[in-house]
Amino acid sequence: MAETQLQAARSGTVTDAMARVAEREQRAPEAVRQAVADGRAVIPANVGHDALDPMIIGRSFATKVNANIGNSETTSDVETELEKLHTAVHYGADTVMDLGTGSDLDRIRTANVEHSPVPVGTVPVYEAVKRAGSPEDLTTELLLEVIEKQARQGVDYMTIHAGILLEHLPLTEGRTTGIVSRGGSILAKWMESYGEQNPLYQVYDDICVIFGEYDVTFSLGDSLRPGSLADACDEAQYAELDTLGHLTRRAWDQGVQVMVEGPGHVPMDRIAENVERQQDVCDGAPFYVLGPLVTDVAPGYDHITSTIGAAMAARAGTAMLCYVTPKEHLGLPEKDDVRDGLAAYRIAAHAADVANGRPGARDWDDALSEARYAFDWSTQFDLALDPERARSFHDQTLPGDNYREARFCSMCGVEFCSMRIDQDTREEGELDRLTARTDLEASPAAAVNLPPVGVHNGGEVGTDEADVERDRVSNFDAPADSN
Ligand code: SF4
């Protein structure tokens, strides 16, 4: 039996996958190996997934984004599902989760793995309950059979809802939105029906054996994630998290890679707390969060409410973000929803990577800004996060090749284009002459021209002293009666 990436890393081997990841992340291979060996990062790479271009998920690497795809009872054919896969990868998904619940699941899953250059994740309890007919008819034998089959089909990581225990269910009594995880609600139903412990928890060590054989990575499901701000950070959520920490260590003991899933709906002031708590309880295993949505009031715009939380979570140390589309809570996403959701999440991930000083992250911003200031429209479009959209928005008002070098766009127009005016001023030498005759140090404006502290180098936003100085400056010359 081949070693898992975790076992190889622990024995000091830099695998081909680690070497490839190091190249993609602009990091030393040894740094990658050490992060995998410590469990702080995972390389989801089933030994049977030949089309995979290996990638890594961990808090010290670039933040990753997952897109959910999959069929439902109403739409089910291989071509449609492959088109969804293509759309997700085209718009920048780092992994995809096939959450199919319709028909022909085996053929679709096998085709997805065969064609996907990114890791494919699944939630095997969905297929198991479909085959069983109802949650009450699930058995441990069926769950293991489905998990083993999906591992054999080449799935790279699986959400396993083993952390929700019988003892946790009374803790959800007073919740506003109960149990909102699909897998969690299925397992809770089974436990309530029989008064017995979660079947996935019962056979957890058997699942570890299967995962070790194919090098499938655990994505430990958060069945008790809050589905509303009212339920965020409650006893049920944190009790399950403690179990997930315990399950993380049990998988590591068997040489299996682990990441841990997180919420959900969380107000902005408690997002960092969620990340820090998971990192502490799960000994640094990568955190993989859905959103979180920072308010409940904007159905139709939940790619935005959740992207705010996702950016904050990534900044605080979350390794992978599961995207949310505008259709969240409302319906099955279509192609444009996938595009909007992925763009929003890639912005969140990249913004955090810039702030966290990930190698190469800020270079992208600088290259685009230089092209923008040079009115090099073609390069600006090519560098854009969504080049097709940038090009099309520009060309709606100024189509034609003659505008490719224009020193303005339709936003301000030729006369009021600030960048053109500024460049002309510089070219005419006005700025140099102004600088030569101004004693900035003696000017009352000097206080407001303090340089920004530490925002561009990936370090902390500022020292206490600098923050105090900024407060002083922002109050500079404020009228006494201002309100
Ligand atoms: S017209 Fe305005 S928005 Fe357009 S390039 Fe010039 S400054 Fe930028």
Side-chain angles (χ1 to χ4, degrees):
M1 195 172 78
E3 282 186 316
T4 64
Q5 295 292 330
L6 175 57
Q7 289 165 333
R10 281 175 178 164
S11 64
T13 305
V14 174
T15 62
D16 290 347
M18 292 174 207
R20 171 60 183 146
V21 162
E23 186 186 7
R24 294 182 74 176
E25 298 276 340
Q26 302 179 38
R27 300 288 294 275
E30 176 56 22
V32 172
R33 186 201 65 75
Q34 191 63 59
V36 175
D38 293 346
R40 288 181 289 107
V42 295
I43 299 178
N46 187 308
V47 293
H49 188 173
D50 296 333
L52 183 72
D53 186 5
M55 52 81 77
I56 194 164
I57 301 166
R59 72 174 292 173
S60 62
F61 298 93
T63 311
K64 305 304 186 300
V65 175
N66 170 71
N68 293 334
I69 57 172
N71 65 1
S72 66
E73 294 291 349
T74 50
T75 60
S76 283
D77 66 80
V78 174
E79 287 68 35
T80 307
E81 294 310 309
L82 284 178
E83 195 190 337
K84 286 183 194 167
L85 168 68
H86 176 79
T87 302
V89 174
H90 177 75
Y91 288 115
D94 296 295
T95 77
V96 292
M97 289 199 79
D98 179 354
L99 305 185
T101 53
S103 59
D104 222 1
L105 291 177
D106 283 324
R107 220 156 66 86
I108 290 169
R109 190 179 307 114
T110 308
N112 276 339
V113 170
E114 194 182 319
H115 290 89
S116 180
V118 303
V120 175
T122 58
V123 186
V125 74
Y126 295 172
E127 183 186 343
V129 82
K130 192 174 163 60
R131 280 175 53 181
S134 71
E136 295 92 324
D137 292 322
L138 278 176
T139 62
T140 51
E141 292 76 21
L142 178 61
L143 284 164
L144 285 174
E145 184 193 324
V146 170
I147 289 168
E148 204 279 335
K149 182 191 68 178
Q150 295 194 3
R152 206 171 347 107
Q153 288 170 334
V155 170
D156 301 288
Y157 68 97
M158 294 187 206
T159 296
I160 300 293
H161 298 85
I164 176 174
L165 301 183
L166 192 59
E167 297 81 354
H168 298 154
L169 301 185
L171 303 177
T172 65
E173 289 256 312
R175 278 188 157 191
T176 299
T177 45
I179 298 175
V180 296
S181 150
R182 271 195 269 181
S185 65
I186 291 167
L187 290 157
K189 177 83 178 157
W190 189 95
M191 286 188 274
E192 278 166 8
S193 301
Y194 297 107
E196 289 179 24
Q197 193 51 279
N198 179 347
L200 287 168
Y201 185 81
Q202 292 182 41
V203 295
Y204 189 72
D205 288 333
D206 300 301
I207 301 172
C208 288
V209 171
I210 296 169
F211 280 17
E213 190 179 342
Y214 297 92
D215 201 1
V216 177
T217 298
F218 272 107
S219 186
L220 290 174
D222 58 329
S223 303
L224 295 177
R225 68 169 172 264
S228 54
L229 296 192
D231 297 340
C233 314
D234 69 357
E235 212 182 342
Q237 182 195 332
Y238 284 158
E240 184 190 33
L241 181 61
D242 289 342
T243 309
L244 298 181
H246 163 70
L247 294 173
T248 296
R249 288 179 282 280
R250 267 170 69 183
W252 282 346
D253 287 346
Q254 299 202 46
V256 177
Q257 303 186 90
V258 182
M259 55 185 170
V260 177
E261 297 183 12
H265 290 237
V266 181
M268 291 169 77
D269 56 305
R270 304 203 68 178
I271 288 175
E273 165 196 327
N274 268 263
V275 179
E276 285 156 17
R277 189 164 181 144
Q278 181 276 339
Q279 287 289 283
D280 183 39
V281 169
C282 301
D283 293 345
F287 202 23
Y288 167 28
V289 304
L290 175 75
L293 287 75
V294 295
T295 174
D296 302 340
V297 299
Y301 296 95
D302 277 335
H303 61 315
I304 298 173
T305 60
S306 63
T307 304
I308 295 167
M312 295 176 74
R315 170 68 168 136
T318 292
M320 183 155 82
L321 310 170
C322 181
Y323 88 159
V324 171
T325 76
K327 288 279 174 61
E328 182 75 8
H329 301 115
L330 302 172
L332 195 66
E334 292 164 7
K335 195 172 171 181
D336 279 349
D337 304 313
V338 171
R339 178 183 188 168
D340 288 348
L342 269 170
Y345 272 71
R346 288 185 62 214
I347 293 166
H350 178 69
D353 287 347
V354 170
N356 290 335
R358 297 289 169 259
R362 173 59 193 277
D363 296 344
W364 184 11
D365 297 76
D366 294 346
L368 192 142
S369 290
E370 281 162 22
R372 178 174 284 154
Y373 194 67
F375 293 107
D376 182 349
W377 294 99
S378 296
T379 302
Q380 190 182 158
F381 298 151
D382 289 346
L383 287 172
L385 182 121
D386 184 343
E388 295 151 40
R389 175 160 299 188
R391 193 172 282 114
S392 113
F393 278 17
H394 174 268
D395 291 355
Q396 277 172 15
T397 47
L398 296 177
D401 288 345
N402 52 324
Y403 289 113
R404 283 289 181 268
E405 292 176 8
R407 297 179 70 217
F408 66 98
C409 74
S410 65
M411 182 170 169
C412 322
V414 63
E415 197 180 349
F416 287 96
C417 176
S418 57
M419 291 203 304
R420 181 192 62 72
I421 296 169
D422 179 67
Q423 287 175 16
D424 289 348
T425 307
R426 286 166 197 269
E427 276 164 22
E428 289 159 10
E430 286 294 332
L431 201 60
D432 290 342
R433 284 194 286 279
L434 183 67
T435 305
R437 65 171 185 261
T438 304
D439 182 0
L440 200 56
E441 300 260 316
S443 162
V448 294
N449 280 321
L450 289 175
V453 181
V455 259
H456 289 165
N457 63 4
E460 292 303 312
V461 170
T463 61
D464 289 347
E465 294 83 351
D467 286 340
V468 169
E469 180 61 9
R470 281 186 172 177
D471 287 347
R472 188 188 67 73
V473 169
S474 66
N475 292 329
F476 181 74
D477 255 3
D481 60 350
S482 64
N483 52 32

